Amino acid sequence: MTALLSTRFPELMPDVIAIDPSSGMMLTGEFHGRPLSETDDLACWRRAYASLGHVQRQLSGSIEDLREVGVPVRDLDSLRIQIPALLRDRRRMRIGMDRGITEREAGRLLAAEPRLIEVCSRLASGPIPLSLDHGDFWPGNIYSGPDRVTLFDWSDATITHPFFSLVMARDEIEAALNSVPGAGQLVVAAYLAGWTGYASFTELEAIFEDAMLVAPLHQAAMYRTTYLPAMEFVEELDRMTPHFLRWLAARL
């Protein structure tokens, strides 16, 4: 997939020198610049998040190409079906365990189940097409230089609602740019601005808020059903499902 992206978007992706699909290994050119997490330049942040939106919009018509290189489809209908089981999986929530969610948080999530399913249905019928979700779009996976942005580490990518890539983004942006008033809103606005061909900016803001309620469920479900069963037990990854559900409970 990284090789495909580097061909389609050479100005935004790592330069892939060689790949070995049989081993799942690749060699890329050196990244230039520094992690976005190490800069307080608002313009760099806005450019980086807008660049992700550009990639997603261009790929929304290339779903079959993404599927052919192995990107899994996790559409909204599939997620909606998983919500009841996800919100009742006490083991994956780590209830009563270190860094698990509390009984109160679990109760809040269960009480919100009808609302979350409704939001999922609303997103599924909305104007934003399925596209590539990065899956791990945090500032450490973005390099920013004077003349380019590099987006990398696509190992958790899926085909789903593209706005899911920005789960927790406002919190991360506000933490990194704590000296810039309203930084989270400004960076998210730069991302949403590119989607105005699908809906008005006001409508996009409402869709984004819906997506931020469902995005943590998407992430939690991926860890619960896909990542953890496919690897040896890793304590850090076992904490990821409650991590996302705790964040959602706080929003609720």
Side-chain angles (χ1 to χ4, degrees), residues 223-251:
Y223 276 95
R224 175 178 178 265
T225 63
T226 303
Y227 303 146
L228 286 167
M231 62 182 68
E232 294 182 14
F233 179 78
V234 179
E235 179 74 14
E236 178 185 358
L237 295 183
D238 189 52
R239 296 171 178 171
M240 293 306 295
T241 293
H243 171 69
F244 286 108
L245 294 180
R246 183 183 304 109
W247 185 80
L248 173 57
R251 286 183 59 83

Side-chain angles (χ1 to χ4, degrees), residues 42 45-57 128-134 137 151 160-167 169-170 173 183-198 201 204-205 207-209 211-212:
L42 178 63
W45 285 75
R46 288 169 60 87
R47 184 169 68 248
Y49 281 73
S51 296
L52 173 67
H54 167 73
V55 169
Q56 293 173 320
R57 292 190 301 278
I128 305 301
L130 296 182
S131 188
L132 187 66
D133 161 41
H134 184 284
F137 196 70
L151 312 177
T160 187
H161 198 290
F163 290 7
F164 287 178
S165 290
L166 269 63
V167 62
R170 278 188 298 213
I173 296 163
Q185 182 176 352
L186 292 171
V187 174
V188 170
Y191 172 81
L192 293 178
W195 295 93
T196 51
Y198 294 89
F201 191 80
L204 289 170
E205 288 182 310
I207 294 169
F208 183 79
E209 293 305 322
M212 290 306 97

